[in-house]
Amino acid sequence: SKDNPNLLFNMGGFEVRIKPKARMHLEALAHRDGVWNLQHEATKEMTAQAFLRVDEQSLRTFENRVRQVLMSSGSTTFTKIANKWNTALIGLMTYFREAVVNTQEMLDLLVKCENKIQTRIKIGLNSKMPSRFPPVVFYTPKELGGLGMLSMGHVLIPQSDLRYSKQTDQGVTHFRSGMSHEEDQIIPNLFRYMQPWESEFIDSQRVWAEYALKRQEATAQNRRLTLEDLEDSWDRGIPRINTLFQKDRHTLAYDKGWRVRTDFKQYQVLRQNPFWWTHQRHDGKLCNLNNYRTD
């Protein structure tokens, strides 16, 4: 209702601000990553917008994870350090997605942590001279001789914040960025290779609705659904359509409460699990990094 002010709450690591549409008569709607349009289920009318950020606690958790990697990497191989960073980063990015780009502190932290990991590797070789460590050392895939690090330190968000660029016509002067090199080739940024949650949800509704229709058709024609029928919805939807086609799909149906159990493992198992909220068998693979490697 129009009497509702903004609603602020933290939930599952996200900091959410819900702003009712009725309060927005003066300003335009925000259309950008990290702002979800909330619809009324029955009328499909957009009633509010939710602004997402990563909350303080998740920031600290990630920072502590990276610190733990650095502390425990006494005489480990460099690949191992890079791999641990990659898993931590993928875990963070597949969970928060567009909220990360909306949270200035998180971006700063990512740049800082990425640099720390690289410094750790440089110190292992007893030198921090930039010319000895071009980005190619860190970011090239393993099969080409690099460490295969994933990067999130190259988010092109103007350092001289956007609110000033509206007042001046100078454009953007500073970018926040991690490691760079002379030829100005941009190092791909992990966020670009993940669909934001909002489009993932919309896509998911479409794909599962399509699946239901195709299934009905198949039952009507008394045949089984084949791979060809679902080719375009493969690797889509939440949970992914592919999960319907695995060997143990029948047993998985009885695996109730698996999400809570996975989360509670943090109190039983001493290992850090960056994917505490999902399971490859149940949800399917939620991020596909093949394009990242090619770039």
Side-chain angles (χ1 to χ4, degrees), residues 94-142:
T94 37
Y95 185 70
F96 289 109
R97 305 205 177 183
E98 63 264 60
V100 169
V101 184
N102 245 356
T103 317
Q104 213 63 50
E105 301 80 24
M106 185 81 233
L107 294 174
D108 286 341
L109 182 69
L110 281 165
V111 173
K112 199 173 89 182
C113 291
E114 192 171 324
N115 285 338
K116 275 186 179 167
I117 295 276
Q118 291 177 349
T119 311
R120 172 74 198 76
I121 291 171
K122 292 174 185 176
I123 287 173
L125 289 171
N126 217 341
S127 149
K128 277 163 68 175
M129 205 164 101
S131 56
R132 289 189 183 156
F133 296 99
V136 64
V137 173
F138 298 106
Y139 300 115
T140 311
K142 286 205 194 65

Side-chain angles (χ1 to χ4, degrees), residues 6 15 60 88 167 173 193 229 271 288 290:
N6 286 349
E15 191 178 283
R60 296 286 81 82
Q167 299 163 9
T173 49
Y193 299 86
D229 299 332
R271 286 197 62 202
N288 183 8
N290 295 346

Side-chain angles (χ1 to χ4, degrees), residues 170-186:
Q170 190 190 2
V172 175
T173 49
H174 296 65
F175 284 113
R176 151 180 342 212
S177 113
M179 203 171 181
S180 57
H181 59 141
E182 290 72 61
E183 288 119 57
D184 271 350
Q185 249 187 333
I186 217 92

